[in-house]
């Protein structure tokens, strides 16, 4: 018996900006038939007659081929581009897969089960009550709203599994808190890099578009471009001239100059010969004129002058030298520092022990090193990093801060980032300093809480 022909044509292709995702372009008078079938199979509508399949298990080519077979069986014409066909035919496996005894087909079954959990959470069918950190992965507890069954979830991305079930949310939460009392946090865990990439593939245009022109960063310096040779020198000199409580003097070497605050507890050193990735600025705060250093910051020579100017202005406040014994990281500190970014729609990603807040348009961001924030001894390393140009792993410039840096100083820089690198131009209702002063007047003491840092599984 011949399958009746449907006036619909589906062209399947790889996503232009997300390697494993697949796009479907629909044409024909009966394209809606193919549209309904693909949407029912969790393809996401990205534009008129265009859908995207994006999965956390990177198995999109496999499932695209399955979809093509099902559509063809309905009499719909399906075209698979050569590059997608190549991806379908590719033989690959997960590196360091934790279940090496599984066959390729069994690995795909495990991944598909994890994908279904992810989709249930994304579509609101599975409500996550709390999450926690368990060794090097994330665990969570939630309830299926349609059945009332509560589940204990273990793992991330394509390795997430239902490890246990409960007959009520109360019993599930009680057991979960008993097992992970030290790291339990309410609600779902922050999205992993893989989840964020997948979400971006569903919402980003399916055809390449011209990149928007990067917004100005102020002080005549474009993001990712090195300031002129004398720009930092001029900024250092003008800072001294405009702030009478700071005094400039030369060190034993002509290569560097130092500015001391009249309290003798704040010091800014500028290296005249620094270039590129060399450290040009070193800021340090001390308990007393002869006391130990409490916090410090460094900035490389290619850092935009507006970021350095913001940092120097933040020193010209009581906060920079009165808050010398703040805890390394609390929930309150985290909210203060990242508040300007979240107000402008920036979202966080997790990669190992790093939590990142990248700019929506890329090119800059904030990074928190959770391991450094929680370290109690050993060689100190940067806890907070404001970076720009290229990627967080290989930035063009950086401003790094130690774990005891006052939250208000960091907030001034994140506010600058939010204003100059956000698509949305609406200003927050209060300036960073105003918001900080409000926080200081509220008699709340948040417990120390280093955010859970998940591990992203990659292809």
């Amino acid at each position: 018996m011949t399958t009746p022909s449907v006036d619909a044509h589906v062209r399947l292709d790889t996503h232009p900006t997300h390697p494993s995702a697949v796009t479907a372009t629909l044409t024909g008078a009966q394209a809606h038939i193919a549209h309904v079938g693909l949407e029912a199979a969790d393809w996401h509508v990205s534009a008129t007659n265009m859908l995207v399949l994006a999965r956390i298990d990177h198995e999109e080519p496999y499932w695209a081929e399955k979809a093509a077979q099902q559509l063809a069986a309905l009499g719909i014409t399906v075209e698979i581009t050569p590059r997608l066909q190549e991806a379908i035919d590719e033989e690959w496996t997960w590196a360091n897969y934790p279940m090496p005894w599984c066959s390729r087909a069994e690995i795909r079954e495990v991944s598909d089960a994890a994908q279904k959990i992810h989709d249930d959470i994304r579509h609101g069918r599975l409500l996550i009550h709390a999450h926690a950190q368990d060794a090097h992965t994330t665990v969570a507890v939630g309830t299926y709203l349609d059945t009332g069954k509560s589940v204990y979830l273990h793992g991330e991305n394509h390795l997430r599994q239902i490890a246990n079930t409960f007959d009520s949310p109360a019993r599930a939460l009680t057991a979960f808190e008993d097992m992970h009392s030290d790291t339990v946090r309410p609600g779902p865990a922050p999205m992993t890099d893989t989840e964020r990439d997948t979400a971006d593939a569903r919402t980003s245009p399916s055809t390449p578009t011209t990149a928007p022109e990067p917004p100005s960063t102020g002080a005549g310096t474009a993001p990712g471009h090195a300031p002129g040779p004398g720009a930092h020198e001029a900024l250092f000199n003008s800072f001294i001239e405009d702030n009478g409580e700071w005094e400039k003097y030369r060190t034993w070497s002509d290569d560097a100059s130092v500015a001391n605050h009249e309290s003798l507890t704040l010091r800014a050193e500028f290296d005249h010969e620094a270039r590129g990735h060399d450290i040009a600025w070193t800021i340090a705060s001390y308990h007393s004129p002869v006391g130990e250093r409490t916090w410090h910051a460094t900035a490389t020579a290619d850092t935009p002058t507006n970021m350095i100017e913001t940092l120097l202005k933040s020193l010209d406040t009581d906060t920079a030298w009165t808050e010398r014994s703040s805890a390394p990281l609390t929930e309150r500190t985290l909210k203060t520092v990242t508040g300007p970014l979240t107000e402008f729609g920036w979202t966080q990603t997790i990669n190992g022990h790093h939590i990142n807040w990248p700019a929506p348009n890329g090119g800059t961001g904030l990074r928190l090193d959770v391991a450094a924030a929680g370290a109690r001894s050993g060689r100190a390393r940067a806890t907070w990093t404001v970076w720009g140009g290229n990627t967080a792993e290989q930035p063009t410039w950086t401003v790094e801060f130690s774990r005891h840096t006052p939250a208000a100083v960091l907030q001034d820089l994140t506010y600058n980032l939010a204003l100059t690198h956000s698509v949305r131009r609406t200003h927050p209702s209060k300036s960073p300093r105003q918001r900080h002063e409000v926080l200081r007047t509220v008699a709340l003491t948040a417990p120390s809480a280093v955010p859970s840092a998940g591990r992203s599984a990659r292809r």
Side-chain angles (χ1 to χ4, degrees):
M1 183 177 177
T2 304
T3 302
S5 178
V6 177
D7 185 7
H9 181 278
V10 178
R11 184 177 187 271
L12 301 178
D13 196 1
T14 57
H15 195 288
T17 58
H18 295 266
S20 68
V22 176
T23 64
T25 305
L26 281 54
T27 55
Q30 295 178 293
H32 61 280
I33 297 176
H35 189 289
V36 170
L38 291 174
E39 196 170 6
D42 262 330
W43 289 63
H44 183 82
V45 179
S46 64
T48 303
N49 285 337
M50 185 169 288
L51 297 92
V52 173
L53 178 63
R55 297 170 57 95
I56 59 170
D57 60 2
H58 300 310
E59 295 280 6
E60 293 96 333
Y62 171 84
W63 293 104
E65 184 181 34
K66 294 294 184 185
Q69 294 168 355
Q70 293 169 358
L71 292 173
L74 295 174
I76 296 172
T77 303
V78 181
E79 173 193 356
I80 298 177
T81 64
R83 57 184 176 184
L84 176 57
Q85 189 61 55
E86 182 180 352
I88 291 173
D89 296 337
E90 178 188 6
E91 291 293 335
W92 67 273
T93 188
W94 293 97
N96 302 318
Y97 193 75
M99 293 173 274
W101 56 86
C102 290
S103 66
R104 187 69 184 88
E106 290 170 336
I107 289 174
R108 189 174 284 121
E109 288 179 10
V110 172
S111 297
D112 191 40
Q115 180 69 43
K116 286 181 170 61
I117 295 172
H118 171 77
D119 291 338
D120 286 340
I121 296 172
R122 183 166 65 90
H123 293 305
R125 293 188 290 265
L126 174 55
L127 176 65
I128 300 300
H129 306 302
H131 69 278
Q133 193 69 17
D134 182 22
H136 298 292
T137 194
T138 301
V139 292
V141 61
T143 299
Y144 281 94
L145 299 182
D146 55 346
T147 65
K149 181 179 71 174
S150 295
V151 293
Y152 171 68
L153 303 176
H154 184 276
E156 299 169 358
N157 302 324
H158 66 294
L159 297 176
R160 182 186 278 154
Q161 297 180 353
I162 296 178
N164 202 354
T165 60
F166 301 86
D167 56 9
S168 74
R171 291 187 178 181
L173 274 169
T174 300
F176 190 77
E177 290 177 352
D178 286 344
M179 287 187 288
H180 308 287
S181 57
D182 294 338
T183 61
V184 172
R185 296 289 181 270
M191 294 174 72
T192 64
D193 289 346
T194 298
E195 289 173 328
R196 192 161 300 285
D197 287 344
T198 303
D200 186 55
R202 287 192 297 266
T203 57
S204 64
S206 297
T207 55
T209 57
T210 303
E213 217 174 284
S216 169
T217 58
T221 304
H225 289 77
H232 283 200
E233 183 112 26
L235 182 59
F236 181 81
N237 292 331
S238 63
F239 176 72
I240 299 298
E241 293 172 4
D242 297 340
N243 297 275
E245 63 273 27
W246 289 80
E247 183 178 358
K248 172 185 174 182
Y249 66 91
R250 285 273 184 175
T251 64
W252 58 270
S253 169
D254 289 337
D255 293 344
S257 294
V258 171
N260 267 340
H261 188 265
E262 61 185 8
S263 66
L264 300 181
T265 59
L266 269 181
R267 172 187 173 104
E269 181 176 330
F270 173 63
D271 186 340
H272 301 270
E273 302 301 320
R275 296 292 184 272
H277 289 83
D278 297 339
I279 293 177
W281 297 84
T282 302
I283 311 295
S285 171
Y286 301 86
H287 270 297
S288 68
V290 293
E292 295 182 354
R293 188 171 68 178
T294 56
W295 66 269
H296 67 278
T298 61
T300 57
D302 280 347
T303 303
T305 51
N306 77 307
M307 297 304 298
I308 301 297
E309 184 177 17
T310 299
L311 176 58
L312 292 176
K313 285 182 178 179
S314 73
L315 301 181
D316 191 31
T317 64
D318 61 346
T319 307
W321 54 274
T322 56
E323 293 188 7
R324 299 195 186 97
S325 58
S326 58
L329 185 65
T330 65
E331 296 283 1
R332 180 180 174 186
T333 300
L334 188 65
K335 183 176 180 180
T336 300
V337 174
T338 63
L341 304 180
T342 56
E343 285 186 35
F344 276 83
W346 294 33
T347 53
Q348 71 181 40
T349 64
I350 297 179
N351 185 9
H353 57 81
H354 290 133
I355 302 179
N356 300 292
W357 288 264
N361 286 340
T364 190
L366 174 70
R367 165 169 284 195
L368 168 62
D369 187 328
V370 177
R376 298 183 180 276
S377 60
R379 180 178 177 273
R381 66 175 187 263
T383 295
W384 298 94
T385 301
V386 176
W387 62 271
N390 204 9
T391 65
E393 288 71 29
Q394 295 179 318
T396 302
W397 58 265
T398 58
V399 185
E400 298 183 333
F401 299 87
S402 65
R403 60 203 295 259
H404 288 283
T405 302
V409 172
L410 290 160
Q411 188 189 52
D412 284 344
L413 269 75
T414 58
Y415 185 77
N416 187 323
L417 285 179
L419 286 178
T420 57
H421 293 275
S422 298
V423 175
R424 180 162 64 91
R425 309 305 294 176
T426 304
H427 291 213
S429 57
K430 293 183 174 65
S431 69
R433 191 65 59 188
Q434 286 173 322
R435 289 197 302 274
H436 177 70
E437 293 304 323
V438 170
L439 286 173
R440 289 178 59 185
T441 61
V442 179
L444 293 175
T445 304
S448 297
V450 177
S452 318
R455 180 187 59 188
S456 295
R458 295 184 179 273
R459 179 176 173 176

